[in-house]
Each structure stands twice: as C-alpha cells, then as structure tokens.
Amino acid sequence: MRAGDVLPPLEIEITRTLVVAGAIASRDYQDVHHDPELARHRGSPDVFMNILTTNGLVGRYVTDHFGPSAVLRKVAIRLGAPNYPGDTMVLTGTAETVDGGTVVVKVIGDNGIGRHVTGTVTVTLPMGEVE
Amino acid sequence: MVVEDLSVRLKAYEGRAAVLGGHGKDPVNAPMIRHWCEALGDTNPAYTGPDAIAPPTMLQVWTMGGLSGHATARSPVYEELLSLLDDAGCTSVVATDCEQEYLRELRPGDEITFDSVIESVSERKTTKLGTGYFVTTRMDVRVGDEGEIVGTHRFRIFKYAPATTKKTEPKPQRPRPVVNRDNAGFWEGVERHELLIQRCADCATLRFPWLPGCHACGSPEWDTVRASGEGVVHSYVVMHHPPFPAFEPPYAVGLVELAEGVRIVSDVVGVPYDKVRIGMAVRLEFIRYDAELVLPVFRAEDVAEVVEEVVDEVVA
C-alpha cells in the first residue's frame, strides 16, 4: 500500500430497512430516521440515514479492505447529500498517507443526488501487512 | 437587531458543559454489537467470538439515550442553549460532522461514562436545509473506575428553521355537500356509485332532490330507485362570475333530465363549456375529486362532432 493507491469501491443499497435498522441499532430514535410522515413535516422528502450508520459504514469499508487485524484509530466524516431509501451509495477510498503501519484513507461516498459523505479514516496495520 | 443579539447570546455557551457525568445505559455488550453488525452488514470476525471487540465506530452508540432519553446527563446549560434555538424557530436538527478517535478498543462488559463540552456555536448560517446554527460538542468517553479515556467524539449538529420550500398552494377543495338526515341516503348511494332517486311509497311519484315528504300526496314514506344513468341536458348556464375557489370559470352547469323523469343539477363533462347544448345526450358517471368527495357528473355521450369543432378552432 502506497500513498495514492485506490481501494476497490463498495456499493451500499440504501434500503428503508438499512436506514431504520441502522438508526435503531445505533439507539437513534430521531423521527427523521424512521417516520416518513414526520420527516416530510420537517422538510425532508423521506426518512434518511443517520450519521452513526454512515460512520459505521465508512469504518466497515476500510476494515473490509484491510482485514480483521487492522485497527481503526480515527474516523472523521462530514455529511452532505442525505441517503434516502431507494438510492445507492458508492464508497471509494484513496490512501492519502502511508507511514509505517499507519494508513490514512480518504473516503468518499456518493449517492444519486450528490456527495453523501467525505471522510478520513486512520487505520493501523500489523507490521508486515503494509506492503 | 434581534438576530445579532441571539448570536452573541449563543457564543456565551462556548466552553460550557453539554453533558456532565453521563453513564452508558448498557455496558458494552455482544447483542448490541451483533445487531449493529447485522444492520450494517459488517462481517468483520474481530467483532464476534470470545475475544470480540466492539466496532470502534460504535463509540457514540454506547452514549445514546435511546427511546427514553437520558434522565439527567444533559446539562441544564445545554438544554437552555437548545431551547433558545427552538424558540428562535430552529426546531429541526441534523448531524453534519462526526470526528472520533479511538484510544483503546472496547469489549463486552466495559462500563462507559462520558462528559461533553460545547466547543463552539457558529454564526447564523443559511444552507439548503434552512437557516440556523452549527453547534459543536466534544465528548470524552471513559471506562472503569479510574476513568481511563477510551475515545473522543466531536459532533457537530445544524439546528435550523426549515427553509420554506416553495409551497405549491394546495388546490382549493370543492365545497362539501351538506349531509343531513333527509338526504344522507342519497350521499351514501353516491359513495357506492349509485344515483338514488326517492320514490313515494304510497303514490310511487319519483322526486329529486331528496325531501322528507311527497310533493304529490304528502306521504312521508319512501323508498329509492337507482337511476339508469341516461339523461339529456334540459337546460344549462355558463358560469363566468363570480369565480369560486376550486372552480375555473367559465364552466357549464347542466340541469340534466334523467331517463326516469327527474332533474338534477351537475357538471357536464367531456365537452367544452361553450359546446353544451339543450337536448344533448349525457351519461352518468362518478368522479372522485379528493379523498372525501365523490360526485355524480354527466358526460356528453357523443362528442366526436363537438371535439372536431374544437380541434378546428385550436388549429385555426
């Protein structure tokens, strides 16, 4: 792994089930993540994925790639276009820096309406796995 | 200005506690880890088995209040900040940023405590969602009696007044029929797509609209006959003025004579207002105008000729 290397993309189907299951698994009962009618009342066209789920998916994307021995050190994300049911988000990643066993990956998640997430993930790998 | 005053007041909350002495509702535990992994499709073997760790990105999950919320964790100061924003119309909230650092892994059995500080409150900002304020908090998550820090969690929310989306004025609704005990049977029939005519039970005279007694013999006894649906335009007017909401003048209002001999006032549809003619054959149909309103209307039967004329006019 060298700076500039690209991770294979990961497609995530944004189903209503994923949105709701992610919200509940993260103990987030904000109505905009499970109640379409109240979501509309608040100016959103539908329920949308909560930030904890996005955070988890960004982390998963990186550990899926580097394997179970990789250790997440930092995940920083910023949200943009919401993930609404029926959409697909494609996560892509690029190694920004590689320093010893520490890799910083820039992650981008785009959906049908724009850029859902930009993030930076710092992960450490056991020595010898960085190549 | 009021708005600037608010910005100044909001700034005063920076550096103050958002959460003091928060306790995780549940210790880090395998079922919640499994539910999370199932929801997110995360099959990382590090999160299962006897040596399982929690997915680090679950850090915030262990601090969540869940459906019943945290009874005491949120500081009165933070509550005050949020209600100030609520009062300013910023009643909606969306999370925009999450920055987490994981200092050591969490394992089932770990008991979480946490404190959080209001790091910053932004100036008033306008985004696609609406106008409001970004509030950033930073939380330290600890485990155990010694309070070892296991992670930090910086969280930014946008608390805003939803942008008034260009509200397409809801189409005004047609007036509701006045339903009373004398005519309820008629409207129940309409609901079933039946046009019911009252018939005197004594002298068999048909009457419409519905009335409590027979105009021929005075009997209050009656039953009903279902109209065949055939009729002719007996007379009509074209309404130009005054314009009523839900109606677009000019339009034709027909007095339709049913095959059974009684007359009813209703729309003549399927034909331009200025092509309605006395003697024109019409047939009953039912149109649903909205969730609550079905009305009997009359469609011009043979409009081929009429339509041709209209097409000619349009082409010309």
Side-chain angles (χ1 to χ4, degrees), chain A residues 57-120:
Chain A
L57 290 172
V58 168
R60 177 196 145 190
Y61 174 56
V62 172
T63 51
D64 272 4
H65 179 72
F66 289 105
S69 56
V71 178
L72 289 175
R73 301 296 179 182
K74 287 182 195 171
V75 175
I77 59 169
R78 167 162 292 182
L79 296 191
N83 269 342
Y84 294 118
D87 208 341
T88 300
M89 174 172 69
V90 181
L91 290 166
T92 53
T94 309
E96 215 168 46
T97 61
V98 180
D99 181 9
T102 302
V103 182
V104 177
V105 183
K106 174 100 176 161
V107 177
I108 286 170
D110 286 342
N111 61 25
I113 53 173
R115 182 140 299 174
H116 170 66
V117 60
T118 51
T120 306

Side-chain angles (χ1 to χ4, degrees), chain B residues 214-237:
Chain B
C214 177
H215 54 79
C217 75
S219 168
E221 305 302 322
W222 54 270
D223 59 9
T224 60
V225 175
R226 184 179 169 178
S228 67
E230 283 169 46
V232 294
V233 174
H234 178 78
S235 184
Y236 67 95
V237 293

Side-chain angles (χ1 to χ4, degrees), chain B residues 3-316:
Chain B
V3 166
E4 281 158 22
D5 278 350
L6 183 62
S7 287
V8 171
R9 285 178 71 186
L10 294 173
K11 279 278 166 204
Y13 287 88
E14 293 184 351
R16 304 186 70 183
V19 176
L20 273 176
H23 281 265
K25 284 200 156 180
D26 298 290
V28 175
N29 66 85
M32 282 174 65
I33 293 171
R34 186 166 55 76
H35 297 166
W36 165 275
C37 290
E38 278 181 9
L40 272 62
D42 198 330
T43 55
N44 190 335
Y47 308 145
T48 58
D51 294 324
I53 61 164
T57 50
M58 281 186 82
L59 184 66
Q60 188 187 359
V61 176
W62 310 114
T63 72
M64 296 290 279
L67 195 49
S68 54
H70 276 294
T72 54
R74 214 179 246 179
S75 78
V77 172
Y78 192 48
E79 293 288 357
E80 196 179 289
L81 168 62
L82 295 179
S83 50
L84 252 182
L85 289 167
D86 282 336
D87 294 345
C90 302
T91 51
S92 291
V93 65
V94 63
T96 61
D97 294 79
C98 174
E99 298 167 26
Q100 298 182 333
E101 189 166 359
Y102 315 111
L103 303 177
R104 85 141 165 88
E105 70 283 0
L106 290 171
R107 292 177 188 277
D110 283 340
E111 299 267 2
I112 297 293
T113 59
F114 51 96
D115 297 288
S116 171
V117 64
I118 302 163
E119 212 173 51
S120 68
V121 185
S122 76
E123 302 294 314
R124 191 161 176 267
K125 303 270 188 187
T126 297
T127 73
K128 273 188 209 160
L129 289 170
T131 297
Y133 300 83
F134 288 92
V135 179
T136 307
T137 53
R138 195 195 69 244
M139 179 182 280
D140 290 332
V141 180
R142 295 181 156 85
V143 162
D145 299 335
E146 301 82 34
E148 174 199 2
I149 293 191
V150 294
T152 60
H153 168 63
R154 180 178 283 111
F155 203 61
R156 187 167 299 123
I157 59 169
F158 184 50
K159 194 135 169 62
Y160 65 101
T164 42
T165 43
K166 260 183 264 164
K167 273 195 198 114
T168 43
E169 280 293 312
K171 199 171 180 287
Q173 294 197 314
R174 286 194 168 228
R176 308 289 101 173
V178 176
V179 181
N180 55 38
R181 64 180 177 180
D182 292 329
N183 68 10
F186 170 74
W187 290 108
E188 285 161 15
V190 168
E191 202 51 50
R192 298 192 303 270
H193 289 200
E194 291 178 1
L195 182 58
L196 298 178
I197 302 165
Q198 263 182 321
R199 177 172 60 191
C200 177
D202 288 319
C203 73
T205 302
L206 298 177
R207 63 176 187 267
F208 195 92
W210 283 37
L211 290 166
C214 177
H215 54 79
C217 75
S219 168
E221 305 302 322
W222 54 270
D223 59 9
T224 60
V225 175
R226 184 179 169 178
S228 67
E230 283 169 46
V232 294
V233 174
H234 178 78
S235 184
Y236 67 95
V237 293
V238 174
M239 287 292 293
H240 292 271
H241 195 80
F244 296 101
F247 296 89
E248 282 176 30
Y251 54 92
V253 179
L255 177 63
V256 172
E257 184 162 299
L258 301 179
E260 290 78 9
V262 296
R263 294 174 191 158
I264 175 174
V265 174
S266 185
D267 281 15
V268 178
V269 302
V271 56
Y273 71 91
D274 58 349
K275 301 297 177 193
V276 176
R277 293 291 179 265
I278 288 171
M280 181 179 261
V282 291
R283 170 161 282 281
L284 170 70
E285 71 177 45
F286 291 86
I287 293 185
R288 175 168 291 283
Y289 287 93
D290 56 53
E292 288 91 37
L293 188 65
V294 175
L295 292 176
V297 299
F298 292 87
R299 184 169 294 278
E301 279 266 80
D302 184 16
V303 292
E305 200 181 315
V306 173
V307 170
E308 262 170 41
E309 280 178 39
V310 175
V311 170
D312 288 347
E313 276 174 27
V314 171
V315 173

